[in-house]
Each structure stands twice: as structure tokens, then as C-alpha cells.
Amino acid sequence: MNELSRRRVLGVAGAAAGTALLGLTPSVAAAAPRTEAAAGESRWRGSTSANGWKILAKAEEHTIEGSGRTVRLADGEAATLLLHVARRFHYEIDALRTGDVTGHRTDRAVRQPYESNHLSGTALAIRPHAYPQGVRGGLYAHELLVVRDILAELDGAVAWGGDFDVPQESHFEVALAPDHPKVRGVARKLTTWRDTPGRGAGTVDVFTPARREAARKFTQRAH
């Protein structure tokens, strides 16, 4: 059995264990009516993506700190939020390798509305082939705890595809419109952390009781 197959088999049990560590039932952790299923593939039309951000013809390439990898994202707050996700994945879940992360794209073909957020540079996918659309349970228990901690830390400014009706556990997106005050507020907080020694990605212990409780409460509130 190769590593990807082993991860998928073990990940089902891991995801259930992770929700138990947060004090949630699997049904609560899985439920999130954020998207509607689309039959087959269609072309996204219009000038904005599903989250209300302007669709871009091109996006700037940003470095994911500590990994040596880059991803194309919308400049400003969107990049700040999503790069934080990618950095924490790299430091706390698994080292990112070439081709692991995709961001902005110009192909308007989508299977689900949330995929349109790539068109505005406000979504990224981490290892989409390992965590394909429609499949749950790809994360080990400790990996799921990290993801839940990240989401709580970002206070709803970023959403995870693992919570969608049609899941995609590789998918992270800016969940709010560009003029939402939380987008700027959370991005400002992350910038402060990034510039403060001993704060931010790579410095977090998700197993402390306080962080686990905060993640549990946020997850319950969000769903």
C-alpha cells in the first residue's frame, strides 16, 4: 500500500479521533451548508468569485515563508490570510514540496461554486490530489487539530473545504467579502504576529488545553 492509500485508510479513523479530541461528534464537524452541489462542470460567469472578490487576470507570486515554495494570490489581506494557512501547514502538518500548493488560476471551469475563488486569488489548495473533492477523512487526528486551530485563530475570515457539503479538504478560502471589517482586522493581527519574535506560524502548541478549548468552541459556533 502506497503512502497516499495508507493516509486515506488511516485518515478516516484519524478524522473521527480529531473531532473527539475537540469534543465534537463527527456529524457536527462534517456539517456546514456553505455550498450547493453542482451537477458536473460548468463555467463561472461574472466579474466576482463566489466570496465576492474581483476576478483577476493575473495574481502576484508570494513566497510561503520557510518552505521555499510560492503561490499566486491576490495582494493585501487575502494573501496575508492564506499564506498564514500555508505556513502553518508547512511547519505543523507536513513540509510542502514542489507542486503542493496552487492558488490563482484563470480557467473558469468549476465543479463547485467555491472553486471560483481561485479566479480572484482568494483560495488555495494544498495537495489537491491527496485530498480530492468529495472525500472526507484524509487527515490524521493531530492534523485535523491543527486545521481546527488555524480556523479558530483566523476567526471565520478563512473557511476550510473539509466543512463544505461537497468537501475538499485541500481547499482553503477567504470566507468574507473584501469590505468585511474582519478581513482587515485578522490580517492586521497576523502581520503583527509575523513581525513579533516567538509569535505566529511554527510557534504554536495546538495540544494545550486553552487552544483545544478555543478551537472546540469556535467549531461549534461556526457550525
Side-chain angles (χ1 to χ4, degrees):
M1 181 182 293
N2 62 29
E3 175 61 16
L4 176 55
S5 298
R6 186 173 71 86
R7 287 179 67 88
R8 288 179 179 169
V9 170
L10 295 179
V12 174
T19 58
L21 284 171
L22 285 172
L24 304 174
T25 63
S27 61
V28 170
R34 296 178 184 270
T35 62
E36 296 178 0
E41 193 174 86
S42 60
R43 289 189 62 78
W44 189 261
R45 304 185 184 280
S47 60
T48 60
S49 53
N51 59 3
W53 291 67
K54 182 181 178 180
I55 289 176
L56 304 175
K58 60 181 180 179
E60 194 71 25
E61 192 169 32
H62 296 268
T63 299
I64 301 170
E65 180 184 313
S67 72
R69 312 302 169 202
T70 61
V71 60
R72 293 191 180 276
L73 297 169
D75 280 336
E77 286 91 359
T80 299
L81 296 170
L82 295 172
L83 289 172
H84 182 75
V85 174
R87 281 195 298 269
R88 286 200 58 184
F89 188 101
H90 173 73
Y91 285 126
E92 300 172 51
I93 294 180
D94 194 21
L96 296 173
R97 295 178 285 275
T98 302
D100 275 354
V101 186
T102 58
H104 176 258
R105 70 175 191 226
T106 57
D107 183 357
R108 285 178 174 256
V110 299
R111 294 164 296 171
Q112 292 295 317
Y114 60 77
E115 291 182 310
S116 70
N117 297 324
H118 285 280
L119 299 172
S120 59
T122 60
L124 57 75
I126 302 176
R127 296 180 181 161
H129 298 296
Y131 310 111
Q133 191 173 92
V135 178
R136 297 191 196 276
L139 299 176
Y140 294 126
H142 73 280
E143 295 172 339
L144 182 58
L145 285 175
V146 172
V147 169
R148 291 294 178 203
D149 187 86
I150 293 170
L151 297 175
E153 193 171 64
L154 297 176
D155 196 23
V158 168
W160 175 49
D163 288 328
F164 296 168
D165 286 345
V166 178
Q168 186 163 358
E169 294 182 339
S170 59
H171 179 89
F172 296 87
E173 65 180 44
V174 178
L176 304 171
D179 58 351
H180 195 290
K182 188 175 287 186
V183 170
R184 176 171 293 181
V186 175
R188 185 183 299 115
K189 175 181 73 173
L190 296 178
T191 300
T192 300
W193 288 355
R194 186 188 61 201
D195 297 337
T196 304
R199 298 295 302 271
T203 66
V204 172
D205 180 0
V206 301
F207 294 98
T208 63
R211 292 196 75 98
R212 284 174 54 180
E213 179 64 9
R216 184 189 67 81
K217 287 183 176 179
F218 175 81
T219 303
Q220 289 186 327
R221 185 170 70 250
H223 299 100

